[in-house]
Amino acid sequence: MAEALIGGAVHINTSADSVTGAMACITLHDEKSNFDVIPPLNFGDLDITTDELILDEVDIHIQANLEDDLVKEALKTGVDLRQYSRQVETELQQIEQASIKDYIKESQNIASLHNQITACDSILEAVTKIREFILQKIYSFRKPMTNYQIPQNTLLKYRFFYQFLLANERTVAKEIRDEYVDTMSKIYLSYFKSYSGRLLKVQYEDVADKDDLMGVEDTAKKGFFSKPSLKSRNTIFTLGQRGAILSPAELEGPILIPHAAQRGDSRYPYETLFRSQHYALLDNGCREFLFLSDFFMVAGNSALDLFNSIMGKTLSIFLKNLSTYLSDCYDSIAVFLCIHIILRFRAIVAKRNIPALDKYLEAVLELLWPRFELILEMNIQSIRNTDPQKLGVLDTRPHYITRRYAEFSSAIVSINQTFPNERTNTLLGQLQIEVENFVLKMAAEFPSRRDQLIFLINNYDMMLSVLMERAADDSKEVESFQQLLLARTQEFIEEILSPPFGGMIAFVKESEALMEKGQLDKLKNDEARITQLVRGFSGTWKQSVEALSQDVMRSFTNFKNGTSIIQGALTQLIQYYHGFHKVLSQPTFRSLAVRSELINLHHLMVEVKKHKPNF
């Protein structure tokens, strides 16, 4: 009973324990004969005879030990379990020694792993500090009145921090970039919305409207309650000093400060505000694109996408505001100047090799061009629809509609010469055709050919003079009006020479025609006619030339043009008189006594010069 209890009291959990337990059972069994000499065991409070001991549990423990595989094997083979126990212990020691050797062998790798773990802790600490530092710099952009270029420059000095984040903690790097994008997007949007709004407060109040077209008569009045115009309708088509906005000094000059302009009560045309707004955009946009490319180490489409994520809202607002303005704009010169401002700004960013604003600038042009073409077509139509009967009293002086055209055409041609555009040339060609038709239509209202020619010459001369002030001498418009002016001037000279000298001129032309055919003898019986012509010229030419000169100077508004016409008329007169001499020197008329009364050609030239107007 005691043996069973002691054996059953040993619980075996491992192979080694099983072996030890089995050895204990066997030892007790071998020493049974000596059991009587063992002193009585003290079981303390445990009374094996009590009813409270549950013998079934002891049996279960004994049975579990006996079922252990190693114990079964030992009992089956009759192995000396004590020897087996020592063998097992030796093997365990060998395994332990091998494990120690392996540990020593891998010590370098283990040390490296330890360093990596330590380094990882350092990187995480560095990431935390860098994140806080960069975010603090980004947050500083949000302070009112901050020049954000200063913190930007600071960030560029620590660009390697962001590079470190990209290499070690991309999640934080993305957080930094997203925070920067969100911050700068709001800053630019707020700044440009405010700046654009304040700029509009210093724009001219008096602007062109839908009634301010070339073909609209000056007598046309606006509504009774409309404000009086600060300037005449003609100035809407005049470039004046507005073209200076395209000069390098003004194009890339300082931007307007609206509150300063308001204090000085200054007002500006739309193109000046447009230039200032877009130069601010160009300057900030180029700087921002370079910063993004440098700090965030992006290029190509990635750089463009990042730029658009920051500037996209601002650019959308710009396009929306421009579209709204253009929908009610009738100032074609302002629109055309804005087109050329953008063309020049596009050349500037191309020279800087910054593509960030390319699509935006193209979108702006796509808004401006159609509006310019529409306004120009409205002006063309207005001229086409003019009714000479409604344009007031007839006057041979330059018409206000042709003056509007001349001012406008010279403005557009002079601007377009710097950035030639075929669309512009086509529209100007259409406009010119309508103006030429208008001039002919108006001239037809005069009853005499003389007045018609004076009207045509005055208008052609005025248009040519205005064009030549700004346009190149070889422009299509200049060449066209030069030809028209020359043709009508030659006709006018013939017209004014005809009353006093028409008889002589007709005889010369008739004689020259017969001379070419060898038929001059047909006029040999015209002695009376020839005598009258010779004496008539000699007696009246001075008075006729004087009257002619005064009449010409009264008829033409341009003194220089009038002088040129007089000079042309006198030159033509001398040529005709030279022809008269030549005809009378022919054998047919050589015997005529009246030939002696002809004025010496050289003397005539000297006398004629006295009647030439002096500048």
Side-chain angles (χ1 to χ4, degrees):
M1 185 70 171
E3 290 175 3
L5 179 63
I6 294 171
V10 181
H11 180 68
I12 301 171
N13 293 320
T14 66
S15 298
D17 291 336
S18 301
V19 172
T20 305
M23 288 173 63
C25 292
I26 295 170
T27 302
L28 288 172
H29 178 74
D30 289 341
E31 293 176 357
K32 185 177 181 180
S33 59
N34 297 326
F35 187 81
D36 294 334
V37 297
I38 296 174
L41 295 175
N42 182 14
F43 291 103
D45 295 331
L46 180 60
D47 185 356
I48 63 175
T49 62
T50 179
D51 292 336
E52 294 175 338
L53 180 62
I54 303 172
L55 296 178
D56 291 341
E57 291 184 7
V58 175
D59 289 338
I60 291 170
H61 285 301
I62 293 172
Q63 187 64 32
N65 287 328
L66 290 175
E67 288 177 357
D68 186 280
D69 291 339
L70 289 175
V71 174
K72 285 181 180 179
E73 183 65 22
L75 293 172
K76 183 178 178 181
T77 57
V79 172
D80 183 343
L81 290 180
R82 283 174 293 187
Q83 177 63 31
Y84 188 74
S85 176
R86 283 194 294 273
Q87 180 183 343
V88 169
E89 189 169 346
T90 299
E91 290 176 356
L92 287 172
Q93 287 176 353
Q94 289 174 350
I95 292 170
E96 183 180 358
Q97 290 298 321
S99 297
I100 292 171
K101 287 180 181 179
D102 286 340
Y103 184 83
I104 293 171
K105 183 179 178 182
E106 295 295 327
S107 60
Q108 221 171 5
N109 291 335
I110 293 170
S112 174
L113 178 60
H114 174 74
N115 291 336
Q116 288 179 23
I117 293 170
T118 305
C120 189
D121 291 339
S122 300
I123 288 171
L124 289 174
E125 186 179 349
V127 165
T128 302
K129 289 184 177 180
I130 290 172
R131 175 184 176 277
E132 292 175 357
F133 174 80
I134 297 180
L135 286 178
Q136 185 181 19
K137 291 298 177 187
I138 293 174
Y139 294 151
S140 69
F141 289 23
R142 302 175 181 177
K143 295 177 182 177
M145 306 301 290
T146 296
N147 181 356
Y148 65 87
Q149 293 172 9
I150 295 175
Q152 266 188 343
N153 291 337
T154 302
L155 283 176
L156 283 176
K157 294 177 183 177
Y158 299 101
R159 182 183 63 167
F160 60 89
F161 281 172
Y162 184 77
Q163 194 171 3
F164 175 84
L165 292 178
L166 275 180
N168 295 282
E169 189 55 71
R170 285 187 171 269
T171 303
V172 175
K174 183 179 183 303
E175 179 192 8
I176 294 291
R177 193 171 78 168
D178 291 347
E179 194 63 41
Y180 179 85
V181 167
D182 182 63
T183 298
M184 292 309 295
S185 176
K186 290 175 180 175
I187 287 174
Y188 282 125
L189 182 62
S190 174
Y191 166 73
F192 278 110
K193 279 180 69 175
S194 172
Y195 183 63
S196 299
R198 286 184 284 122
L199 276 179
L200 290 177
K201 293 180 180 178
V202 295
Q203 182 182 0
Y204 278 135
E205 293 181 3
D206 191 47
V207 295
D209 60 30
K210 59 184 174 58
D211 295 320
D212 293 318
L213 300 171
M214 283 185 205
V216 176
E217 56 270 23
D218 255 352
T219 54
K221 294 181 179 179
K222 297 184 179 180
F224 181 78
F225 296 102
S226 63
K227 293 188 298 182
S229 178
L230 300 179
K231 53 185 179 180
S232 72
R233 185 175 279 114
N234 287 340
T235 59
I236 294 167
F237 306 101
T238 304
L239 184 62
Q241 297 302 313
R242 295 170 72 178
I245 196 74
L246 299 177
S247 66
E250 289 199 30
L251 189 69
E252 299 183 65
I255 64 173
L256 282 177
I257 309 300
H259 62 268
Q262 281 182 298
R263 280 203 303 268
D265 202 28
S266 299
R267 291 292 182 269
Y268 303 92
Y270 179 77
E271 68 270 9
T272 300
L273 312 182
F274 182 87
R275 193 285 314 179
S276 190
Q277 180 191 50
H278 280 81
Y279 189 67
L281 174 65
L282 181 145
D283 191 47
N284 284 276
C286 288
R287 187 187 300 273
E288 186 63 36
F289 183 78
L290 291 174
F291 173 82
L292 295 174
S293 301
D294 197 2
F295 185 79
F296 291 105
M297 292 169 286
V298 289
N301 289 333
S302 297
L304 292 175
D305 290 344
L306 186 58
F307 177 84
N308 289 329
S309 64
I310 291 175
M311 298 298 294
K313 292 180 181 177
T314 298
L315 300 181
S316 294
I317 287 289
F318 270 30
L319 292 174
K320 182 180 177 182
N321 290 344
L322 178 61
S323 179
T324 301
Y325 169 78
L326 291 175
S327 66
D328 195 38
C329 174
Y330 298 90
D331 186 348
S332 50
I333 289 181
V335 177
F336 198 62
L337 284 170
C338 288
I339 287 173
H340 278 264
I341 287 169
I342 293 298
L343 290 174
R344 284 159 173 76
F345 281 169
R346 193 165 64 173
I348 289 172
V349 294
K351 188 176 180 181
R352 295 182 186 180
N353 197 27
I354 296 177
L357 292 169
D358 287 357
K359 286 187 177 179
Y360 169 75
L361 296 177
E362 190 61 36
V364 171
L365 289 175
E366 287 175 1
L367 288 175
L368 292 170
W369 271 118
R371 189 63 190 182
F372 174 71
E373 292 171 348
L374 176 63
I375 300 172
L376 207 52
E377 286 166 1
M378 291 172 67
N379 279 286
I380 291 170
Q381 191 63 41
S382 73
I383 293 174
R384 185 179 297 138
N385 294 339
T386 53
D387 182 355
Q389 301 291 331
K390 296 180 180 179
L391 296 179
V393 180
L394 283 174
D395 193 328
T396 57
R397 291 175 295 181
H399 199 276
Y400 57 80
I401 289 180
T402 56
R403 184 173 294 280
R404 291 174 188 169
Y405 161 76
E407 293 287 354
F408 176 78
S409 183
S410 66
I412 300 302
V413 169
S414 63
I415 295 169
N416 198 53
Q417 284 172 168
T418 55
F419 274 82
N421 184 276
E422 196 54 40
R423 292 164 74 177
T424 305
N425 292 334
T426 301
L427 287 167
L428 285 177
Q430 294 173 7
L431 180 61
Q432 182 179 339
I433 290 171
E434 292 303 328
V435 169
E436 289 177 7
N437 290 338
F438 165 77
V439 172
L440 292 173
K441 190 163 56 174
M442 286 297 300
E445 294 293 310
F446 293 91
S448 71
R449 183 57 181 166
R450 177 182 175 279
D451 286 344
Q452 290 177 2
L453 289 171
I454 291 172
F455 177 81
L456 291 172
I457 290 170
N458 273 331
N459 280 275
Y460 291 151
D461 174 64
M462 180 274 296
M463 289 189 281
L464 185 61
S465 298
V466 174
L467 279 166
M468 290 183 70
E469 286 180 9
R470 298 187 181 276
D473 292 346
D474 60 350
S475 70
K476 293 179 181 178
E477 290 78 12
V478 168
E479 290 181 357
S480 175
F481 286 116
Q482 279 178 333
Q483 292 172 5
L484 288 170
L485 178 62
L486 180 61
R488 297 291 77 78
T489 299
Q490 288 298 325
E491 185 181 352
F492 179 75
I493 287 173
E494 296 293 328
E495 187 75 22
I496 60 174
L497 287 176
S498 181
F501 309 111
M504 181 195 69
I505 293 170
F507 177 78
V508 170
K509 289 181 177 179
E510 183 182 1
S511 298
E512 288 176 344
L514 290 171
M515 284 169 62
E516 286 182 6
K517 298 176 182 178
Q519 300 174 353
L520 190 58
D521 285 348
K522 287 184 177 181
L523 299 177
K524 64 181 179 180
N525 296 323
D526 283 357
E527 181 178 351
R529 177 186 175 193
I530 294 170
T531 300
Q532 184 182 5
L533 291 174
V534 170
R535 290 174 178 171
F537 183 87
S538 298
T540 62
W541 77 267
K542 286 186 179 181
Q543 298 92 322
S544 296
V545 166
E546 184 65 31
L548 180 148
S549 298
Q550 291 178 2
D551 183 39
V552 167
M553 295 309 294
R554 284 194 302 267
S555 299
F556 297 98
T557 54
N558 181 353
F559 180 81
K560 185 177 179 181
N561 183 46
T563 302
S564 176
I565 290 173
I566 291 173
Q567 191 169 0
L570 295 178
T571 301
Q572 188 65 35
L573 176 62
I574 290 172
Q575 287 179 350
Y576 279 133
Y577 199 69
H578 179 262
F580 193 45
H581 265 262
K582 187 177 178 181
V583 169
L584 295 184
S585 67
Q586 297 300 311
T588 305
F589 306 115
R590 195 173 293 166
S591 61
L592 291 178
V594 77
R595 287 183 66 247
S596 62
E597 298 180 29
L598 286 169
I599 299 172
N600 179 274
L601 204 58
H602 178 71
H603 175 71
L604 179 65
M605 292 174 65
V606 172
E607 288 297 314
V608 163
K609 283 184 179 179
K610 295 178 182 178
H611 294 272
K612 179 182 176 182
N614 296 317
F615 288 101

